[in-house]
Amino acid sequence: MIVRPLPHQPGSAGTAGSGLALARSALSDAATAERRSATLGWLADRARERPMTVRRTPLDELDGWRSDPATGTIRHHTGRFFSVEGVEVRVDGGAVPCWRQPMLNQPEIGILGILTRTVDGVAQFLLQAKVEPGNPRGYQLSPTVQATRSNYTGVHNGRPVRYLQHFLQRGGHRVIADVRQSEQGAWFLQKRNRNMIVEVGAQVGAEAGFRWFTLAEIHHLLAVENIVNMDSRTVLSCLPVGVDAVPARDRFTAALQASMARTDGRHDMMTVLSAVTEARTSTETRTRPVPLRETTGWIRRDGRIRHESGAFFEVVGVDVRAAGREVDGWSQPMFAARGRGLAAFVVNETSGVLHVLVQLRAEPGLVDVVELAPTVQCTPATLQSLPALPAPPLLDLVEKAPAADVRFDCVMAEEGGRFLDTETRYTVVETTDPAEPPGYLWVTVGQLQELLRHSHYLNVQARSLVTCLHSLSTPAPRRTL
Amino acid sequence: MIVRPLPHQPGSAGTAGSGLALARSALSDAATAERRSATLGWLADRARERPMTVRRTPLDELDGWRSDPATGTIRHHTGRFFSVEGVEVRVDGGAVPCWRQPMLNQPEIGILGILTRTVDGVAQFLLQAKVEPGNPRGYQLSPTVQATRSNYTGVHNGRPVRYLQHFLQRGGHRVIADVRQSEQGAWFLQKRNRNMIVEVGAQVGAEAGFRWFTLAEIHHLLAVENIVNMDSRTVLSCLPVGVDAVPARDRFTAALQASMARTDGRHDMMTVLSAVTEARTSTETRTRPVPLRETTGWIRRDGRIRHESGAFFEVVGVDVRAAGREVDGWSQPMFAARGRGLAAFVVNETSGVLHVLVQLRAEPGLVDVVELAPTVQCTPATLQSLPALPAPPLLDLVEKAPAADVRFDCVMAEEGGRFLDTETRYTVVETTDPAEPPGYLWVTVGQLQELLRHSHYLNVQARSLVTCLHSLSTPAPRRTL
């Protein structure tokens, strides 16, 4: 494959916020297969230098954590961090109209922040090699800063968080993105994090454990299993990427570029916004707290909580020993999904513009009930073990798509600070069928980017997929000879 | 004053959503002093034909309403409509760090909808002559539809709501605005209404009690006390008005037109959005339910609830007899403010662009803690009776502004379905001082309009003031001779 050089634009230094510096970064020629290997080697080195060991431990034996005798709620003795609580969910007219389940309750809003700088007209992003106890593959690329409020108010009694000051005191720095976004609405009760991208001067360097990457390098790493962590994916989805500075390589890339540039598509923006308002107004999903002990169908035994069917997820405990963290060791409960998740965008090109089929999806833990979600979002193993659950529309199309229609396909973990070995297959599948089922909308990538300037429009799986879509604008890595 | 005729643009029929049909509507030559008088006469006629009588009644004698013996909560025996409950509010670092108060709890999301049509290239809006028990001046101009969820699900057992079907089934109709917006965050616990503007064909007529108005006519009526009701003001604030189709009359109008057209001003849009995110993340305002009986400082006696200082508001009861409503009579609790409110936009013209100073304001009942509010929003009488409360910044500037700097000034009532004789002075005051106090932002009218495409950015007083600002683009009514 021939990678076209970026057009030389003398005098146009460009900032990360400018389309040009971002486009150059997404198309950077310097992103080679060797650079990708070097990053993987660096992550492996970090794992050797600062290993983390994770040991499964019964929930009742977690140091510092207590189960409330009356309700069963599991919380830290300080009352901080998060708790595991019970909820009852009612969905009028749903396939399962009422159920109970454990949920993670973490009301604090943390910061997920990525620093960006522009060097020689190309935007770079500062990522950190970081391990979390739940990561299926040790060290991953995480945002510059990944801080709970406890982190930066000092509840951990740990070391200060590096680079955090750039996000707390932003005087003089340019803010590229700053939104609060939801996390897994099936598992978290109203959890949100603040997603930020802040531009700093070219003189800001990378400390040990940090490296500057171009977008093209990150895009290449998105194609490797479990390297770019969930927090990086969600923050990067807020980047206003547009790459129409260069001619497209092929029909698909041309349609993707056209889609990124369009905030009107098959539906104008007001129609998309109105559909969200309609869904949020009409959806009758109500979530109320119940004692964790009374979550019917869930069994607490042998130091963990699981569903009687064996499906969905388990609540388990872990003891963690780590080097080079704010603290040297801790214990905590985690959620462990039973089976790999599937998150798919079905896309369609019509008249040269790529459209993405998004779902107006209610999730019990969302702050605002409904967000735009992947076309297909489910756990296929759960559907197999509980045949009474209806299969989601288009699941067959995604699972049986011929290889030629699969534009992106990679397994990546959900956030390893709360989820143990919990992976999702992220995929983008092209179809020639432009049908729009009820409850779904065809939108352009530009419309999704416009919505991502605001909070709570796209759920976390959809945000990961937006970053995956962005990555398809970058040519495959060149091999230097 | 010479009113310039609208430029004749043959072949450009225009729809309400188009800038041109809206601009023509805002500048319509047909909006004369006589038309305004005719509308006031029509409202007076309606009042004679369908009178409403409102009688103060002790809270304990309201037909159909019960006070919970344990908590004091006042609710309807059906559990529907709304309730009066107690809350405790904590504001870390606030002038009053903790207080308790009664609040209205009405979790249902109702519809406030205005139909628009385009006739001869000019947009028209269908308003209703409607009276509410709390209105200080009987009949006002209300939206086409003003329906609680109880209204349209039939809990009232009343007559169907006219024109409602255009908002529920919108197939083929163009949606101009569709957002959920907050109402008074000091008095309502998380109350929201869906604000909608839907375009219909020119053949849709006005039934008895309804009339089509141009924007210019509505703008003229905004200058008359207590004519355009709160619900109309908030819905109309969502209109994407722009009037740069014609040359401006004077410096102020030119700056206003320029401001409407700009979504970048002293701050770019991302800076404005980031300031909202920052305020929402850092503000520590927590509202929790407490029994109404235990709202310290509030006294229930003689069939009403009032604050021991005599300030803030009272909770009172009314018996209502009405003709031509869904039901012929009812009883209900209401909030009655003690003293007239003040809501002011301070504006400044620099380099030919008008900027509006908005406040990032936390209110205990808001769904998302902080919204953009008027520069000054307070009840001056409360400040006088409680001298320990700090006066808000810029109150002096607004109260002592010379007449030449006052661009808009009119007293209008808050929603008469819940608030009894509760008026606010809405005013727009121009200053030459471009200083930006901490917690305030200079924004363009175009930026406010862009934010109004989304939910929960502007509070209800700010939305009323946006409509008042729009009205300043319309020349004063011409007198036909």
Side-chain angles (χ1 to χ4, degrees):
Chain A
M1 171 183 275
I2 296 168
V3 179
R4 287 183 185 78
L6 282 161
H8 181 58
Q9 307 222 359
S12 162
T15 61
S18 82
L20 191 57
L22 271 179
R24 282 189 182 126
S25 190
L27 298 163
S28 164
D29 225 10
T32 60
E34 287 74 10
R35 294 272 298 175
R36 184 167 67 181
S37 299
T39 301
L40 300 179
W42 175 61
L43 291 172
D45 290 345
R46 296 295 294 177
R48 274 189 296 277
E49 291 159 24
R50 296 164 177 258
M52 171 179 278
T53 58
V54 178
R55 193 166 51 84
R56 293 280 280 259
T57 306
L59 286 171
D60 311 295
E61 297 171 20
L62 291 178
D63 187 32
W65 296 81
R66 312 268 180 272
S67 292
D68 185 285
T71 61
T73 294
I74 304 169
R75 60 166 58 90
H76 197 255
H77 72 95
T78 59
R80 304 280 185 131
F81 308 120
F82 65 95
S83 56
V84 181
E85 305 182 6
V87 297
E88 179 181 86
V89 185
R90 287 188 175 273
V91 183
D92 287 358
V96 182
C98 182
W99 73 88
R100 294 181 171 203
Q101 67 168 89
M103 269 202 159
L104 289 161
N105 187 3
Q106 182 173 357
E108 292 180 350
I109 297 178
I111 291 179
L112 306 177
I114 294 182
L115 289 186
T116 180
R117 66 177 190 181
T118 300
V119 174
D120 297 334
V122 178
Q124 300 179 339
F125 301 87
L126 187 62
L127 300 182
Q128 181 181 9
K130 196 171 187 194
V131 61
E132 296 288 356
N135 288 4
R137 173 177 163 155
Y139 276 73
Q140 297 187 343
L141 294 177
S142 85
T144 320
V145 163
Q146 189 175 311
T148 62
R149 202 172 173 86
S150 309
N151 275 140
Y152 58 87
T153 53
V155 180
H156 280 296
N157 295 318
R159 287 183 275 275
V161 178
R162 278 170 296 177
Y163 298 105
L164 181 59
Q165 74 278 9
H166 294 293
F167 299 95
L168 297 181
Q169 290 99 36
R170 297 179 302 286
H173 299 327
R174 177 134 173 262
V175 177
I176 311 292
D178 187 3
V179 278
R180 291 159 312 146
Q181 297 292 13
S182 68
E183 298 198 355
Q184 288 78 2
W187 298 328
F188 273 120
L189 193 61
Q190 308 211 333
K191 166 87 177 294
R192 291 177 293 177
N193 270 319
R194 186 171 174 185
N195 286 229
M196 301 181 78
I197 302 175
V198 170
E199 188 176 35
V200 289
Q203 81 288 352
V204 173
E207 295 186 29
F210 292 79
R211 282 195 182 179
W212 289 102
F213 294 88
T214 63
L215 259 190
E217 290 177 292
I218 298 169
H219 286 167
H220 291 163
L221 290 158
L222 274 164
V224 185
E225 286 199 0
N226 286 320
I227 293 298
V228 181
N229 87 349
M230 185 192 90
D231 294 337
S232 296
R233 301 192 304 266
T234 168
V235 176
L236 290 170
S237 74
C238 304
L239 265 184
V241 180
V243 293
D244 51 1
V246 292
R249 305 188 292 287
D250 52 32
R251 174 197 60 85
F252 182 84
T253 316
L256 175 60
Q257 290 184 13
S259 186
M260 286 175 168
R262 303 258 313 240
T263 53
D264 278 311
R266 286 188 210 168
H267 304 291
D268 66 15
M269 202 64 193
M270 184 45 68
T271 303
V272 174
L273 294 170
S274 178
V276 173
T277 296
E278 169 68 24
R280 286 178 167 169
T281 310
S282 63
T283 300
E284 297 275 4
T285 295
R286 291 179 305 288
T287 303
R288 72 177 182 97
V290 297
L292 183 59
R293 286 200 187 291
E294 294 171 19
T295 47
T296 323
W298 294 82
I299 301 156
R300 183 163 180 167
R301 190 187 298 154
D302 304 330
R304 59 189 179 136
I305 301 172
R306 60 180 196 84
H307 193 255
E308 58 191 6
S309 68
F312 305 116
F313 60 89
E314 293 184 351
V315 186
V316 300
V318 293
D319 283 334
V320 185
R321 302 299 305 171
R325 301 279 293 205
E326 294 89 3
V327 292
D328 296 326
W330 69 91
S331 302
Q332 66 170 92
M334 302 194 82
F335 276 30
R338 301 281 298 161
R340 177 177 286 176
L342 173 65
F345 268 162
V346 170
V347 299
N348 168 259
E349 180 243 301
T350 300
S351 309
V353 179
L354 199 72
H355 278 74
V356 181
L357 190 61
V358 291
Q359 181 189 166
L360 293 152
R361 183 183 175 94
E363 295 184 319
L366 296 180
V367 169
D368 211 352
V369 192
V370 170
E371 294 186 4
L372 300 180
T375 325
V376 176
Q377 179 185 320
C378 67
T379 304
T382 296
L383 296 169
Q384 278 154 25
S385 60
L386 293 168
L389 292 180
L394 298 162
L395 174 60
D396 252 22
L397 182 139
V398 169
E399 290 198 317
K400 296 177 181 161
D405 292 345
V406 178
R407 305 277 161 235
F408 184 93
D409 197 2
C410 190
V411 171
M412 290 184 276
E414 302 306 300
E415 211 276 300
R418 299 290 173 267
F419 303 111
L420 184 66
D421 291 334
T422 293
E423 294 180 320
T424 303
R425 177 186 165 208
Y426 288 93
T427 184
V428 175
V429 174
E430 189 169 4
T431 179
T432 54
D433 181 2
E436 186 176 79
Y440 292 76
L441 282 176
W442 287 110
V443 296
T444 66
V445 180
Q447 288 179 324
L448 293 175
Q449 293 181 167
E450 176 61 27
L451 293 172
L452 282 165
R453 290 160 60 91
H454 304 275
S455 299
H456 308 149
Y457 278 117
L458 269 73
N459 80 355
V460 66
Q461 292 89 347
R463 297 199 307 277
S464 268
L465 282 169
V466 166
T467 300
C468 299
L469 269 177
H470 286 166
S471 79
L472 298 175
S473 64
T474 298
R478 188 169 52 86
R479 289 193 181 278
T480 53
L481 297 174
Chain B
M1 168 184 277
I2 297 168
V3 179
R4 288 183 183 79
L6 280 161
H8 181 58
Q9 307 220 1
S12 162
T15 61
S18 80
L20 191 58
L22 271 180
R24 282 190 181 123
S25 189
L27 299 164
S28 165
D29 225 11
T32 59
E34 287 75 10
R35 295 271 297 172
R36 183 168 68 182
S37 298
T39 300
L40 300 180
W42 175 61
L43 292 173
D45 289 346
R46 296 296 293 178
R48 272 188 298 275
E49 291 159 25
R50 297 164 176 260
M52 171 179 278
T53 58
V54 178
R55 194 165 50 84
R56 294 280 280 260
T57 307
L59 287 171
D60 311 294
E61 297 171 19
L62 291 177
D63 188 32
W65 295 80
R66 312 270 179 271
S67 292
D68 184 284
T71 61
T73 294
I74 304 169
R75 61 166 57 89
H76 197 254
H77 72 95
T78 60
R80 303 279 185 132
F81 308 119
F82 65 95
S83 57
V84 181
E85 305 183 5
V87 297
E88 180 181 85
V89 185
R90 285 189 175 273
V91 183
D92 286 358
V96 182
C98 182
W99 73 88
R100 295 182 170 201
Q101 66 167 90
M103 269 202 159
L104 289 160
N105 187 3
Q106 183 172 358
E108 293 179 348
I109 297 178
I111 291 178
L112 306 177
I114 295 182
L115 288 186
T116 180
R117 66 177 190 182
T118 300
V119 174
D120 297 334
V122 178
Q124 300 178 341
F125 300 87
L126 187 61
L127 300 182
Q128 181 182 9
K130 196 170 187 196
V131 62
E132 296 288 355
N135 287 3
R137 175 175 163 157
Y139 276 75
Q140 297 187 342
L141 294 176
S142 86
T144 319
V145 163
Q146 188 175 312
T148 62
R149 202 173 172 87
S150 308
N151 276 141
Y152 59 86
T153 53
V155 179
H156 280 296
N157 296 319
R159 288 183 274 275
V161 177
R162 278 170 297 176
Y163 299 105
L164 180 59
Q165 74 278 9
H166 294 293
F167 299 94
L168 297 181
Q169 290 101 32
R170 298 179 302 284
H173 299 326
R174 177 135 174 262
V175 177
I176 311 292
D178 186 4
V179 277
R180 293 159 312 146
Q181 298 290 15
S182 68
E183 300 198 352
Q184 288 78 1
W187 297 330
F188 273 120
L189 193 61
Q190 308 211 333
K191 165 87 178 291
R192 292 178 290 178
N193 270 319
R194 185 171 176 185
N195 287 228
M196 301 181 79
I197 302 174
V198 170
E199 187 176 37
V200 290
Q203 80 288 352
V204 173
E207 297 186 28
F210 292 80
R211 282 196 181 177
W212 289 103
F213 294 88
T214 63
L215 260 190
E217 290 176 294
I218 298 168
H219 286 167
H220 291 162
L221 290 158
L222 273 165
V224 185
E225 286 200 0
N226 286 319
I227 292 299
V228 181
N229 86 348
M230 185 193 88
D231 294 337
S232 296
R233 300 193 304 266
T234 169
V235 176
L236 290 170
S237 74
C238 303
L239 264 185
V241 180
V243 293
D244 51 2
V246 291
R249 307 189 292 289
D250 52 32
R251 176 196 59 85
F252 182 84
T253 315
L256 175 61
Q257 291 184 11
S259 187
M260 286 174 169
R262 302 260 311 243
T263 54
D264 278 312
R266 286 187 209 170
H267 304 291
D268 66 15
M269 202 64 191
M270 184 46 68
T271 303
V272 173
L273 294 170
S274 179
V276 173
T277 297
E278 170 68 24
R280 286 177 168 169
T281 310
S282 63
T283 300
E284 298 275 3
T285 295
R286 293 179 304 289
T287 303
R288 71 176 183 96
V290 296
L292 184 59
R293 285 200 188 292
E294 294 170 21
T295 46
T296 323
W298 295 83
I299 301 156
R300 183 164 179 166
R301 190 188 297 155
D302 304 330
R304 61 190 177 136
I305 302 173
R306 61 181 194 83
H307 192 256
E308 58 190 5
S309 68
F312 305 116
F313 60 88
E314 293 185 352
V315 186
V316 300
V318 293
D319 283 335
V320 184
R321 301 299 305 171
R325 301 280 291 207
E326 295 88 2
V327 291
D328 295 326
W330 69 91
S331 301
Q332 67 171 90
M334 303 193 83
F335 276 29
R338 302 281 298 161
R340 177 178 287 176
L342 172 66
F345 267 161
V346 169
V347 299
N348 168 257
E349 179 242 304
T350 301
S351 308
V353 179
L354 200 72
H355 278 74
V356 181
L357 190 62
V358 291
Q359 182 189 166
L360 293 151
R361 184 183 174 95
E363 296 184 320
L366 295 181
V367 168
D368 212 351
V369 192
V370 170
E371 295 186 3
L372 299 180
T375 325
V376 175
Q377 178 186 321
C378 66
T379 304
T382 297
L383 296 169
Q384 278 155 24
S385 60
L386 293 168
L389 292 180
L394 297 162
L395 175 60
D396 252 23
L397 182 139
V398 168
E399 290 200 316
K400 296 176 181 161
D405 292 344
V406 178
R407 304 278 162 233
F408 183 92
D409 197 2
C410 189
V411 171
M412 290 185 276
E414 302 307 301
E415 211 276 301
R418 298 290 172 268
F419 303 111
L420 184 65
D421 291 334
T422 292
E423 295 179 320
T424 303
R425 177 187 164 207
Y426 287 94
T427 183
V428 176
V429 173
E430 191 170 5
T431 179
T432 54
D433 181 3
E436 184 175 82
Y440 292 74
L441 282 175
W442 287 110
V443 295
T444 66
V445 179
Q447 288 179 324
L448 293 174
Q449 291 181 168
E450 176 61 26
L451 293 172
L452 282 165
R453 289 161 60 92
H454 304 275
S455 299
H456 308 150
Y457 279 116
L458 269 72
N459 80 356
V460 66
Q461 292 89 348
R463 297 199 306 277
S464 268
L465 282 169
V466 166
T467 299
C468 298
L469 268 177
H470 286 166
S471 79
L472 298 176
S473 64
T474 298
R478 190 169 53 86
R479 289 194 180 276
T480 53
L481 298 175

